[in-house]
Amino acid sequence: QVQLVESGGGLVQAGGSLRLSCAASGRTFSTYAMGWFRQAPGKEREFVATISWSGGNTYYADSVKGRFTISRDNAKNTVYLQMNSLKPEDTAVYYCAAEYLGRVVKNPEQYDYWGQGTQVTVSS
């Protein structure tokens, strides 16, 4: 069982930056692939980024590529999402998720554990 707690969301102006953190409980965090997803009002949850258990492989949605960076610190049981050059269309609740088989996947249905989400609002 893994519990995930996101933090770092908030209100920022367009062009600004935020860093989200996701703290995980459990001794097996380092074996999980981790992902970030987001959901805007009235829209489906969408993939943002994912990272392998070692951090060696990362994948991004086209909409955030070059602006967002996913990373992890297995010693701290934490995964991060650095978000730069934020746009109003990035406004959403951001969720982190864990995939216990270590697969780097984009489908939210393949993730096993989810955090409660953190709100990111980008003003124009």
Side-chain angles (χ1 to χ4, degrees), residues 8-54:
L11 174 63
V12 64
Q13 288 188 334
S17 298
L18 283 174
R19 189 175 82 154
L20 306 183
S21 299
C22 174
S25 64
R27 292 175 291 177
T28 57
F29 171 80
S30 61
T31 66
Y32 289 57
M34 298 296 296
W36 284 98
F37 294 80
R38 66 187 182 186
Q39 188 167 19
K43 295 187 177 180
E44 293 187 351
R45 190 168 298 189
E46 66 171 355
F47 166 76
V48 175
T50 184
I51 188 167
S52 62
W53 66 270
S54 67

Side-chain angles (χ1 to χ4, degrees), residues 12-18 67-68 82-87 122:
V12 64
Q13 288 188 334
S17 298
L18 283 174
R67 300 188 297 122
F68 291 10
Q82 178 67 45
M83 306 186 295
N84 299 328
S85 302
L86 283 161
K87 305 175 181 180
V122 184

Side-chain angles (χ1 to χ4, degrees), residues 93-108:
V93 177
Y94 283 71
Y95 300 89
C96 71
E99 201 286 337
Y100 85 102
L101 291 178
R103 299 174 298 179
V104 183
V105 293
K106 303 178 181 180
N107 185 347

Side-chain angles (χ1 to χ4, degrees), residues 5 18 34 40 59 73 87 123:
V5 179
L18 283 174
M34 298 296 296
Y59 298 96
D73 185 338
K87 305 175 181 180
S123 63

